[in-house]
Amino acid sequence: MKRRNENQNANKTASCENKRKFKDFCIEIFKVGFVGFGGGNALVPVMEEAFVRNDEFDEDQKTYDKDVLVANLTPGALPVELASALGNHAFGPKGMLLGPVLFSLPGVIMAAVLFMVLSSLSEGALNYINIAAVGVAGFIIALLCDYIAKVFARNKIVSERRFKRTYLVVGLVIFFTCGSAIYKLLGVDVTSVFSISTVHMLAVAFFIAFWLHGNRDALHITTTLVLSFLFMLANGKAGFLSQIPFLLPVVEILMLVLSVVGLISSVRETKVRLELDRVGIRKTFWSWLIFIVVLSIPAVVILQDAVPFLLRDLLSTFMSFGGGDAYLTIADGMFVEQGYISEDIFYSQIITVVNVLPGSILCKTLFGIGFYMGYGTTGVAALGILTGISAFACSVGASCAAFYLIYYLYSGISKMKAIEFIGRWIRPIVCGLLVKVMLALINSGMALDETTGVSRWVILIFIVVLAGVNYYVKKRFKPNPWLMVIVDIIVSLVFFAIL
């Protein structure tokens, strides 16, 4: 009887200790969310300090290193995936679900407040917001330039050959995607031959990765060049070849078939052996599916085209390689170019807000798109927040589902040539796509010439100089991002007031 009471007391003590640790974990991950500036990789040492080097938690260095590696191979929001992994290792399903939500919550709450304020302003007040957004654009362009510079520097360390090829890849992506943005910047009314969307560019990139992935024979190179060129020409702004019956569907089917063939070949070459915890996989994916479905209900009730929109949320997350800044190119292609949200709102309001707040850019961007879709449909900010939550749930759920898929398969697929090829070249491709984002930010700022009377070329020079100063200050002094943004906004308001 005495031993039984001792066991019960021990179990009760262990249960209390586990609850205390879980509470401490929730508080700590929420605190990390408040300092979540600088992108996913910038948060890797922050999370390591909070959970690996902290004796309060049981995360070991080897497990954390694997989490970081898998998160970098996985599309979606890297810090959200790490938060889920940390919670899952320590507390199982409840930690897996609550970790990423609590990490993202500070940024999403602050974003919701700012979106409600922006959506209720008058046209005159919005003009001041757009002027302030020019200052933020200078900050964002500096961040994107820093990202691009790091990609080039990393590839130069690998080899001089990789460095030169990075220039080639970035140049080709700019050539095929940025034509219309460049013509718009120059004020030339010309239709670009290509200027394909981000989605189509990534489709070509994955086709090359799965079908080519290092093969140098004539068959692979010829089919890759011909099919990729036809696909981009048919999907270009000028619409060449789009009138030829069945051409585009045939090209797309061939690209899909060859991608599957190449992927199977890659699996055979590496002799992938998968030893899976099928029960764990089922529980994990059912948990995230239920999470997405339940939180998607508000959008389904409020929005007329909710299902296509939510599916695009999921797809855009699965396509998001290269960090949060890179997701801006995906969002542009999936939502702006397809008419779900206007370019003006996306670049002057959503991007402005998500880049000055902590947390995942991907999650905040989808929350913002969902908010403005709900608000635009109903005119009620509270309903906009509900549709924003649905979009946010898709971003978190898709990110974590992708992470756990790669996590379970990692030991087998990490050596596949196709996966290595994607890991090697996805960041240079993203660099080219980020140039498109920078051009869009500049064009958005130059459009203020109509409401402010300031020459569009003067605005262009101002943005370029401001971005250059931001880049130098960031590299030289590493100031607080909030301080940089506030100074940029003040400088922009003063600049337009003087002129």
Side-chain angles (χ1 to χ4, degrees):
M1 188 69 173
K2 182 179 179 181
R3 180 175 294 179
R4 183 180 177 184
N5 289 334
E6 289 176 351
N7 289 337
Q8 287 178 343
N9 291 332
N11 291 335
K12 191 173 181 179
T13 302
S15 177
C16 291
E17 179 66 15
N18 188 60
K19 287 180 180 179
R20 184 192 65 78
K21 282 189 174 183
F22 183 64
K23 181 182 177 181
D24 290 344
F25 169 80
C26 291
I27 294 172
E28 193 65 30
I29 202 70
F30 188 73
K31 285 165 58 180
V32 171
F34 267 108
V35 296
F37 291 99
N41 285 310
L43 281 170
V44 170
V46 177
M47 289 188 171
E48 182 175 324
E49 186 69 28
F51 297 101
V52 179
R53 298 177 184 175
N54 188 341
D55 294 335
E56 290 292 319
F57 303 103
D58 301 322
E59 185 76 3
D60 64 89
Q61 187 68 55
K62 186 176 180 180
T63 302
Y64 183 72
D65 288 344
K66 180 182 177 182
D67 294 339
V68 172
L69 182 60
V70 173
N72 273 286
L73 288 174
T74 307
L78 186 147
V80 166
E81 294 164 357
L82 289 181
S84 179
L86 288 166
N88 188 40
H89 296 325
F91 306 104
K94 64 180 181 180
M96 177 186 73
L97 293 169
L98 270 179
V101 172
L102 289 171
F103 166 79
S104 305
L105 207 53
V108 168
I109 291 172
M110 287 185 278
V113 173
L114 288 178
F115 287 140
M116 283 193 293
V117 171
L118 290 174
S119 63
S120 63
L121 293 177
S122 65
E123 186 174 341
L126 280 175
N127 193 48
Y128 284 104
I129 295 297
N130 291 332
I131 291 173
V134 173
V136 179
F139 174 76
I140 296 169
I141 291 170
L143 287 182
L144 300 185
C145 287
D146 186 46
Y147 177 95
I148 293 171
K150 286 177 179 177
V151 171
F152 275 93
R154 190 180 298 117
N155 283 351
K156 190 171 186 178
I157 292 172
V158 174
S159 70
E160 189 66 27
R161 186 180 182 186
R162 174 80 67 84
F163 181 65
K164 292 178 179 178
R165 288 185 175 182
T166 301
Y167 271 108
L168 177 62
V169 171
V170 172
L172 286 173
V173 173
I174 292 172
F175 175 78
F176 285 116
T177 62
C178 296
S180 291
I182 293 173
Y183 287 139
K184 185 177 180 181
L185 184 146
L186 297 174
V188 179
D189 188 14
V190 178
T191 301
S192 173
V193 174
F194 292 103
S195 199
I196 63 172
S197 70
T198 298
V199 176
H200 290 136
M201 188 70 249
L202 289 174
V204 172
F206 279 95
F207 164 64
I208 293 172
F210 291 143
W211 171 237
L212 191 62
H213 64 262
N215 292 302
R216 298 291 186 270
D217 59 90
L219 173 64
H220 280 82
I221 292 175
T222 302
T223 51
T224 298
L225 291 175
V226 170
L227 290 176
S228 297
F229 185 77
L230 290 175
F231 178 81
M232 289 188 287
L233 199 58
N235 284 292
K237 293 290 184 181
F240 290 129
L241 306 182
S242 61
Q243 302 302 318
I244 300 177
F246 307 113
L247 176 64
L248 184 56
V250 169
V251 170
E252 290 175 339
I253 290 171
L254 285 173
M255 289 174 67
L256 179 61
V257 170
L258 291 179
S259 296
V260 173
V261 170
L263 195 57
I264 293 172
S265 173
S266 185
V267 170
R268 289 176 176 173
E269 287 172 7
T270 52
K271 298 179 181 179
V272 173
R273 294 181 179 180
L274 303 179
E275 298 178 0
L276 302 178
D277 176 6
R278 299 183 185 278
V279 175
I281 290 175
R282 281 198 298 269
K283 287 183 178 179
T284 298
F285 287 102
W286 271 111
S287 297
W288 285 115
L289 180 61
I290 293 170
F291 175 86
I292 292 170
V293 170
V294 170
L295 291 179
S296 293
I297 292 174
V300 173
V301 173
I302 295 167
L303 299 177
Q304 186 176 358
D305 298 324
V307 174
F309 168 63
L310 294 172
L311 289 176
R312 281 180 176 271
D313 289 353
L314 296 171
L315 180 59
S316 69
T317 304
F318 289 137
M319 294 172 66
S320 177
F321 287 91
D325 293 325
Y327 179 72
L328 301 179
T329 67
I330 309 292
D332 183 294
M334 294 291 282
F335 301 104
V336 178
E337 292 180 5
Q338 302 303 317
Y340 282 85
I341 193 165
S342 72
E343 184 174 331
D344 179 59
I345 289 177
F346 183 73
Y347 282 102
S348 67
Q349 298 186 38
I350 293 178
I351 287 186
T352 299
V353 169
V354 302
N355 277 282
V356 300
L357 296 178
S360 163
I361 288 178
L362 187 158
C363 296
K364 289 179 295 183
T365 299
L366 277 179
F367 174 82
I369 293 171
F371 171 84
Y372 278 103
M373 286 189 66
Y375 179 74
T377 299
T378 64
V380 180
L383 296 181
I385 289 176
L386 290 178
T387 54
I389 290 173
S390 294
F392 163 74
C394 288
S395 69
V396 172
S399 293
C400 293
F403 170 81
Y404 286 108
L405 174 64
I406 303 299
Y407 190 89
Y408 284 119
L409 300 177
Y410 177 73
S411 60
I413 69 171
S414 60
K415 297 178 182 179
M416 287 172 55
K417 287 185 177 180
I419 300 300
E420 289 179 350
F421 190 89
I422 292 172
R424 188 183 309 132
W425 295 113
I426 191 63
R427 290 183 184 275
I429 291 168
V430 164
C431 287
L433 295 173
L434 288 179
V435 173
K436 183 179 180 182
V437 171
M438 288 190 279
L439 289 171
L441 288 168
I442 292 172
N443 281 321
S444 179
M446 291 173 70
L448 288 174
D449 66 327
E450 297 181 1
T451 57
T452 63
V454 180
S455 167
R456 61 197 312 271
W457 299 110
V458 172
I459 297 174
L460 171 62
I461 294 171
F462 172 71
I463 294 174
V464 171
V465 171
L466 185 64
V469 172
N470 271 265
Y471 185 83
Y472 173 78
V473 171
K474 182 179 184 297
K475 299 291 286 186
R476 180 71 175 80
F477 302 105
K478 296 180 173 57
N480 186 296
W482 284 81
L483 178 60
M484 291 182 68
V485 170
I486 291 170
V487 171
D488 286 334
I489 290 173
I490 293 172
V491 169
S492 183
L493 290 170
V494 171
F495 173 79
F496 280 90
I498 292 174
L499 297 181

